[in-house]
mmCIF file of all heavy atoms in Angstrom:
data_model
loop_
_atom_site.group_PDB
_atom_site.id
_atom_site.type_symbol
_atom_site.label_atom_id
_atom_site.label_comp_id
_atom_site.label_asym_id
_atom_site.label_seq_id
_atom_site.Cartn_x
_atom_site.Cartn_y
_atom_site.Cartn_z
ATOM 1 N N THR A 22 0.831 -1.257 0.010
ATOM 2 C CA THR A 22 -0.057 0.001 0.024
ATOM 3 C C THR A 22 0.906 1.253 -0.028
ATOM 4 O O THR A 22 0.607 2.150 -0.768
ATOM 5 C CB THR A 22 -0.909 -0.009 1.264
ATOM 6 O OG1 THR A 22 -1.783 -1.144 1.100
ATOM 7 C CG2 THR A 22 -1.801 1.267 1.238
ATOM 8 N N ALA A 23 1.877 1.322 0.842
ATOM 9 C CA ALA A 23 2.782 2.343 0.979
ATOM 10 C C ALA A 23 3.471 2.689 -0.377
ATOM 11 O O ALA A 23 3.664 3.786 -0.840
ATOM 12 C CB ALA A 23 3.694 2.319 2.074
ATOM 13 N N GLY A 24 3.829 1.614 -1.099
ATOM 14 C CA GLY A 24 4.606 1.743 -2.330
ATOM 15 C C GLY A 24 3.577 2.313 -3.370
ATOM 16 O O GLY A 24 3.952 3.182 -4.167
ATOM 17 N N MET A 25 2.311 1.796 -3.406
ATOM 18 C CA MET A 25 1.453 2.355 -4.421
ATOM 19 C C MET A 25 1.165 3.703 -4.165
ATOM 20 O O MET A 25 0.917 4.539 -5.155
ATOM 21 C CB MET A 25 0.116 1.383 -4.369
ATOM 22 C CG MET A 25 0.279 0.159 -5.045
ATOM 23 S SD MET A 25 -1.249 -0.888 -5.139
ATOM 24 C CE MET A 25 -1.513 -1.452 -3.372
ATOM 25 N N ILE A 26 0.920 4.115 -2.980
ATOM 26 C CA ILE A 26 0.652 5.557 -2.646
ATOM 27 C C ILE A 26 1.843 6.448 -2.948
ATOM 28 O O ILE A 26 1.545 7.544 -3.616
ATOM 29 C CB ILE A 26 0.299 5.696 -1.127
ATOM 30 C CG1 ILE A 26 -1.021 4.960 -0.831
ATOM 31 C CG2 ILE A 26 0.249 7.143 -0.663
ATOM 32 C CD1 ILE A 26 -1.429 4.889 0.698
ATOM 33 N N THR A 27 3.047 6.003 -2.662
ATOM 34 C CA THR A 27 4.141 6.851 -3.058
ATOM 35 C C THR A 27 4.216 7.036 -4.551
ATOM 36 O O THR A 27 4.623 8.138 -5.083
ATOM 37 C CB THR A 27 5.446 6.142 -2.599
ATOM 38 O OG1 THR A 27 5.573 6.003 -1.198
ATOM 39 C CG2 THR A 27 6.710 6.877 -3.001
ATOM 40 N N ASN A 28 3.935 6.028 -5.385
ATOM 41 C CA ASN A 28 3.958 6.127 -6.756
ATOM 42 C C ASN A 28 2.812 7.073 -7.246
ATOM 43 O O ASN A 28 3.147 7.849 -8.105
ATOM 44 C CB ASN A 28 3.658 4.758 -7.421
ATOM 45 C CG ASN A 28 4.871 3.743 -7.260
ATOM 46 O OD1 ASN A 28 6.065 4.223 -7.007
ATOM 47 N ND2 ASN A 28 4.704 2.539 -7.360
ATOM 48 N N ALA A 29 1.645 6.997 -6.595
ATOM 49 C CA ALA A 29 0.561 7.916 -7.007
ATOM 50 C C ALA A 29 0.904 9.359 -6.655
ATOM 51 O O ALA A 29 0.531 10.254 -7.440
ATOM 52 C CB ALA A 29 -0.632 7.537 -6.226
ATOM 53 N N VAL A 30 1.545 9.602 -5.590
ATOM 54 C CA VAL A 30 1.926 11.016 -5.240
ATOM 55 C C VAL A 30 2.802 11.486 -6.280
ATOM 56 O O VAL A 30 2.711 12.675 -6.662
ATOM 57 C CB VAL A 30 2.778 10.994 -3.816
ATOM 58 C CG1 VAL A 30 3.298 12.377 -3.663
ATOM 59 C CG2 VAL A 30 1.696 10.670 -2.669
ATOM 60 N N LYS A 31 3.756 10.731 -6.810
ATOM 61 C CA LYS A 31 4.585 11.211 -7.817
ATOM 62 C C LYS A 31 4.013 11.365 -9.219
ATOM 63 O O LYS A 31 4.344 12.243 -10.023
ATOM 64 C CB LYS A 31 5.811 10.302 -7.996
ATOM 65 C CG LYS A 31 6.766 10.224 -6.812
ATOM 66 C CD LYS A 31 7.898 9.135 -6.866
ATOM 67 C CE LYS A 31 8.814 9.119 -5.715
ATOM 68 N NZ LYS A 31 9.709 8.000 -5.854
ATOM 69 N N LEU A 32 3.102 10.463 -9.500
ATOM 70 C CA LEU A 32 2.556 10.258 -10.965
ATOM 71 C C LEU A 32 1.392 11.180 -11.182
ATOM 72 O O LEU A 32 1.180 11.745 -12.269
ATOM 73 C CB LEU A 32 2.107 8.819 -11.209
ATOM 74 C CG LEU A 32 3.393 7.877 -11.482
ATOM 75 C CD1 LEU A 32 2.747 6.512 -11.400
ATOM 76 C CD2 LEU A 32 4.114 8.149 -12.788
ATOM 77 N N VAL A 33 0.440 11.364 -10.156
ATOM 78 C CA VAL A 33 -0.814 12.042 -10.480
ATOM 79 C C VAL A 33 -0.600 13.503 -10.919
ATOM 80 O O VAL A 33 -1.189 13.913 -11.886
ATOM 81 C CB VAL A 33 -1.778 11.856 -9.220
ATOM 82 C CG1 VAL A 33 -2.994 12.737 -9.467
ATOM 83 C CG2 VAL A 33 -2.126 10.390 -9.219
ATOM 84 N N PRO A 34 0.157 14.349 -10.064
ATOM 85 C CA PRO A 34 0.790 14.151 -8.819
ATOM 86 C C PRO A 34 -0.125 14.618 -7.645
ATOM 87 O O PRO A 34 -1.095 15.264 -7.917
ATOM 88 C CB PRO A 34 1.981 15.085 -8.817
ATOM 89 C CG PRO A 34 1.528 16.170 -9.683
ATOM 90 C CD PRO A 34 0.501 15.591 -10.721
ATOM 91 N N LEU A 35 0.228 14.129 -6.535
ATOM 92 C CA LEU A 35 -0.597 14.502 -5.267
ATOM 93 C C LEU A 35 0.353 15.065 -4.224
ATOM 94 O O LEU A 35 1.571 14.880 -4.314
ATOM 95 C CB LEU A 35 -1.164 13.313 -4.619
ATOM 96 C CG LEU A 35 -2.183 12.418 -5.473
ATOM 97 C CD1 LEU A 35 -2.538 11.256 -4.693
ATOM 98 C CD2 LEU A 35 -3.432 13.262 -5.899
ATOM 99 N N GLY A 36 -0.218 15.822 -3.353
ATOM 100 C CA GLY A 36 0.605 16.328 -2.149
ATOM 101 C C GLY A 36 1.038 15.255 -1.342
ATOM 102 O O GLY A 36 0.419 14.269 -1.057
ATOM 103 N N GLN A 37 2.168 15.448 -0.519
ATOM 104 C CA GLN A 37 2.511 14.470 0.370
ATOM 105 C C GLN A 37 1.508 14.149 1.489
ATOM 106 O O GLN A 37 1.277 12.945 1.922
ATOM 107 C CB GLN A 37 3.850 14.867 1.127
ATOM 108 C CG GLN A 37 5.073 14.952 0.076
ATOM 109 C CD GLN A 37 5.531 13.584 -0.427
ATOM 110 O OE1 GLN A 37 5.168 12.576 0.243
ATOM 111 N NE2 GLN A 37 6.259 13.556 -1.457
ATOM 112 N N LEU A 38 0.794 15.229 1.891
ATOM 113 C CA LEU A 38 -0.164 14.973 3.016
ATOM 114 C C LEU A 38 -1.403 14.218 2.379
ATOM 115 O O LEU A 38 -2.089 13.481 3.087
ATOM 116 C CB LEU A 38 -0.644 16.358 3.560
ATOM 117 C CG LEU A 38 0.526 17.025 4.380
ATOM 118 C CD1 LEU A 38 -0.128 18.359 4.997
ATOM 119 C CD2 LEU A 38 0.980 16.066 5.497
ATOM 120 N N ASP A 39 -1.692 14.392 1.094
ATOM 121 C CA ASP A 39 -2.697 13.613 0.395
ATOM 122 C C ASP A 39 -2.444 12.166 0.453
ATOM 123 O O ASP A 39 -3.310 11.394 0.791
ATOM 124 C CB ASP A 39 -2.881 14.018 -1.078
ATOM 125 C CG ASP A 39 -3.501 15.505 -1.126
ATOM 126 O OD1 ASP A 39 -4.344 15.848 -0.370
ATOM 127 O OD2 ASP A 39 -3.232 16.177 -2.129
ATOM 128 N N GLY A 40 -1.141 11.828 0.252
ATOM 129 C CA GLY A 40 -0.766 10.441 0.389
ATOM 130 C C GLY A 40 -0.860 9.826 1.688
ATOM 131 O O GLY A 40 -1.379 8.779 1.939
ATOM 132 N N GLN A 41 -0.547 10.733 2.717
ATOM 133 C CA GLN A 41 -0.603 10.216 4.046
ATOM 134 C C GLN A 41 -2.207 10.070 4.436
ATOM 135 O O GLN A 41 -2.502 9.015 5.140
ATOM 136 C CB GLN A 41 -0.025 11.250 4.980
ATOM 137 C CG GLN A 41 1.473 11.211 4.990
ATOM 138 C CD GLN A 41 2.189 9.796 5.093
ATOM 139 O OE1 GLN A 41 1.935 9.179 6.116
ATOM 140 N NE2 GLN A 41 2.906 9.355 4.136
ATOM 141 N N ASP A 42 -2.942 10.890 4.004
ATOM 142 C CA ASP A 42 -4.532 10.728 4.329
ATOM 143 C C ASP A 42 -4.963 9.566 3.721
ATOM 144 O O ASP A 42 -5.803 8.833 4.203
ATOM 145 C CB ASP A 42 -5.213 11.969 3.745
ATOM 146 C CG ASP A 42 -5.085 13.298 4.566
ATOM 147 O OD1 ASP A 42 -4.563 13.063 5.769
ATOM 148 O OD2 ASP A 42 -5.252 14.358 4.122
ATOM 149 N N ILE A 43 -4.567 9.192 2.468
ATOM 150 C CA ILE A 43 -4.940 7.888 1.837
ATOM 151 C C ILE A 43 -4.458 6.666 2.700
ATOM 152 O O ILE A 43 -5.266 5.771 2.926
ATOM 153 C CB ILE A 43 -4.379 7.827 0.442
ATOM 154 C CG1 ILE A 43 -4.988 8.875 -0.470
ATOM 155 C CG2 ILE A 43 -4.715 6.361 -0.143
ATOM 156 C CD1 ILE A 43 -4.397 8.938 -1.855
ATOM 157 N N LEU A 44 -3.261 6.749 3.167
ATOM 158 C CA LEU A 44 -2.711 5.667 3.920
ATOM 159 C C LEU A 44 -3.472 5.508 5.253
ATOM 160 O O LEU A 44 -3.873 4.434 5.605
ATOM 161 C CB LEU A 44 -1.340 5.963 4.301
ATOM 162 C CG LEU A 44 -0.462 4.831 5.016
ATOM 163 C CD1 LEU A 44 -0.605 3.466 4.192
ATOM 164 C CD2 LEU A 44 0.951 5.234 5.286
ATOM 165 N N PHE A 45 -3.848 6.603 5.907
ATOM 166 C CA PHE A 45 -4.699 6.532 7.138
ATOM 167 C C PHE A 45 -5.963 5.914 6.861
ATOM 168 O O PHE A 45 -6.410 5.022 7.663
ATOM 169 C CB PHE A 45 -4.882 7.965 7.732
ATOM 170 C CG PHE A 45 -3.758 8.562 8.458
ATOM 171 C CD1 PHE A 45 -3.365 9.888 8.181
ATOM 172 C CD2 PHE A 45 -3.042 7.835 9.302
ATOM 173 C CE1 PHE A 45 -2.348 10.493 8.886
ATOM 174 C CE2 PHE A 45 -1.993 8.434 10.032
ATOM 175 C CZ PHE A 45 -1.581 9.747 9.728
#
């Protein structure tokens, strides 16, 4: 999950906090 979210943050791109919110 963390790997997919990290990739999404880079590719979409998203903000780092967006990624953390998805993980939560």
Side-chain angles (χ1 to χ4, degrees):
T22 299
M25 287 186 281
I26 291 172
T27 298
N28 292 337
V30 167
K31 294 177 181 178
L32 288 168
V33 173
L35 302 173
Q37 293 292 343
L38 293 180
D39 288 330
Q41 293 304 304
D42 286 341
I43 294 173
L44 187 57
F45 284 135

